[in-house]
Amino acid sequence: MSQGGKKRVLILFCGGTIIMKEGRDGTLVAPSRKEAVANLRAIEARLATIADFDIRFVENIDSANMTPSDWDRILAELEAGYDAWDGFVITHGTDTMAYTAAALTLAIKNLGKPVVLTGSQIPGSRLETDARRNLVNAMKLATMDVSGVFIVFDERVIHGGRASKASESRLDAFTSVNAQDAGEIRAEIRLSPALPRRRFDKAAFYPGFEPDIVVRTLTPGCDPGDLVFLLQHKRVQGILIEAYGTGNLPYDFDGLFRAARDQKVPVVVTSQCLHGVTRMQGYEVGARALKLGAIEGHDQSLEMLAVKLMWALKHYPYKDIRTVMQTSFAGELSIPVA
Ligand code: ASP
């Protein structure tokens, strides 16, 4: 680790549009590993003026192909390099970047350094790319006096536990869900004064996620029978329902809650509203689901709830999952839960 001089930053290379090239049919594809790392280096030749850095290859994929075992690999790299580096940048596709950010937010305790995810909407090789700016700002954030998992994109610094991809093509691709941004990127990076500073704590890593969950968005008249079928055939370990408004579900979901409780499968309920926060006691249709065992998602993002459910299923017994889902580990939940 640096002693007051230039900071040392490890870049974990995970693929994404930032290094992609156009294939023969016009689609964007990940090039060979060698070409991909060369593409990343070519984005900005002066990165070393920000920090001494090295690039560690983790994988070279479209992030649509990311799985929880890839999150574990990223966590293993962070753990292995934790003492030697002052900060980390993860270059990653934008499609599932918010899920990876949620996973790292939950799985690292006592994080005392910045871990910054970034990528781009336009490949780094194109003239009009947003890659250069995002990469440079991510590197700068990784050297700053702050700790936590963040996404740096366009003019925003977003808390890793609150991020969601809000646009498939805007350069301002990410938004903070039910929270303020952690900072803004102007001529300089301005961070919220409330963010935790760097610390010398020993970080602890808790990888492991159960991928076998189902996320179901309610539509009027939808049949809860397909979820009951999955339960009966033991094909699912956890269920996340995007319900209406404040967390309201039709009466015919009662049977699903009963079946899930019998089989000790947690059912989390969130709101399908864009900026939705659950208040399931507000209507009889929500309160009824709560009585039958629904776990309220409160103001957490869909990405966070899905990843937290996967993480909780791997690390805690059924009886503790409600408490885990309703605990804020790193600011991803702001409503005090009774
Ligand atoms: N499909 C790409 C990915 O997530 C999109 C991007 O990187 O912007 O890898």
Side-chain angles (χ1 to χ4, degrees):
M1 198 160 79
S2 68
Q3 303 286 329
K6 213 197 273 178
K7 291 270 189 288
R8 302 187 71 234
V9 173
L10 182 62
I11 300 178
L12 298 179
F13 181 98
C14 297
T17 293
I18 189 164
I19 50 75
M20 284 187 184
K21 69 171 185 188
E22 225 164 272
R24 278 208 197 99
D25 59 358
T27 60
L28 290 174
V29 283
S32 71
R33 169 176 172 160
K34 211 170 140 204
E35 201 184 327
V37 176
N39 286 355
L40 187 70
R41 286 191 187 277
I43 290 170
E44 174 50 67
R46 293 166 296 174
L47 279 188
T49 61
I50 303 173
D52 289 330
F53 75 94
D54 201 1
I55 299 175
R56 203 160 161 73
F57 182 91
V58 182
E59 51 214 338
N60 183 21
I61 55 174
D62 189 303
S63 77
N65 287 318
M66 274 275 162
T67 65
S69 62
D70 297 308
W71 303 336
D72 287 346
R73 291 180 58 201
I74 297 172
L75 284 162
E77 294 289 350
L78 291 170
E79 186 169 16
Y82 191 78
D83 292 332
W85 300 90
D86 297 303
F88 301 87
V89 168
I90 302 171
T91 57
H92 193 292
T94 58
D95 286 346
T96 61
M97 190 186 289
Y99 290 92
T100 301
L104 304 183
T105 299
L106 291 172
I108 313 174
K109 303 286 169 255
N110 294 328
L111 176 59
K113 301 178 179 189
V115 173
V116 188
L117 294 107
T118 199
S120 69
Q121 292 281 55
I122 305 170
S125 56
R126 288 206 193 143
L127 187 60
E128 67 279 24
T129 186
D130 51 333
R132 186 190 164 279
R133 193 162 84 152
N134 290 343
L135 183 60
V136 166
N137 287 323
M139 284 293 282
K140 286 173 77 175
L141 183 62
T143 67
M144 290 172 76
D145 183 13
V146 67
S147 62
V149 177
F150 304 99
I151 288 181
V152 159
F153 221 90
D154 198 49
E155 294 184 351
R156 296 176 197 274
V157 179
I158 294 181
H159 188 301
R162 292 286 194 171
S164 186
K165 183 173 177 181
S167 170
E168 88 301 341
S169 58
R170 278 180 184 274
L171 304 189
D172 182 17
F174 287 88
T175 192
S176 294
V177 176
N178 297 325
Q180 299 290 319
D181 287 349
E184 56 178 334
I185 297 168
R186 296 196 182 181
E188 74 287 350
I189 298 178
R190 296 186 190 172
L191 295 178
S192 154
L195 293 180
R197 315 273 297 263
R198 281 177 182 277
R199 298 189 302 277
F200 288 101
D201 291 4
K202 187 84 197 125
F205 293 76
Y206 299 92
F209 302 84
E210 169 54 64
D212 197 7
I213 66 161
V214 164
V215 180
R216 173 69 193 260
T217 306
L218 295 191
T219 48
C222 66
D223 180 6
D226 43 9
L227 291 175
V228 174
F229 179 88
L230 291 177
L231 283 172
Q232 281 165 350
H233 292 80
K234 305 211 178 317
R235 300 297 298 271
V236 63
Q237 311 287 324
I239 297 172
L240 171 55
I241 298 178
E242 287 191 281
Y244 305 120
T246 51
N248 299 319
L249 301 100
Y251 294 147
D252 60 1
F253 272 66
D254 288 5
L256 168 73
F257 284 106
R258 290 198 185 95
R261 199 165 53 186
D262 288 351
Q263 298 203 17
K264 297 190 172 14
V265 169
V267 183
V268 179
V269 174
T270 188
S271 169
Q272 59 182 254
C273 296
L274 212 49
H275 304 287
V277 175
T278 59
R279 276 181 283 106
M280 292 178 69
Q281 285 295 356
Y283 290 88
E284 191 257 342
V285 280
R288 183 181 171 114
L290 275 182
K291 277 200 205 98
L292 290 169
I295 300 172
E296 227 176 321
H298 293 283
D299 68 339
Q300 297 175 92
S301 68
L302 177 72
E303 291 87 340
M304 174 50 75
L305 286 169
V307 174
K308 201 182 240 188
L309 183 56
M310 293 184 205
W311 186 72
L313 285 164
K314 226 13 180 225
H315 295 272
Y316 296 88
Y318 172 74
K319 70 176 180 37
D320 295 338
I321 298 231
R322 173 186 303 276
T323 309
V324 174
M325 293 303 297
Q326 299 184 335
T327 298
S328 179
F329 291 90
E332 75 278 9
L333 164 71
S334 55
I335 289 179
V337 180

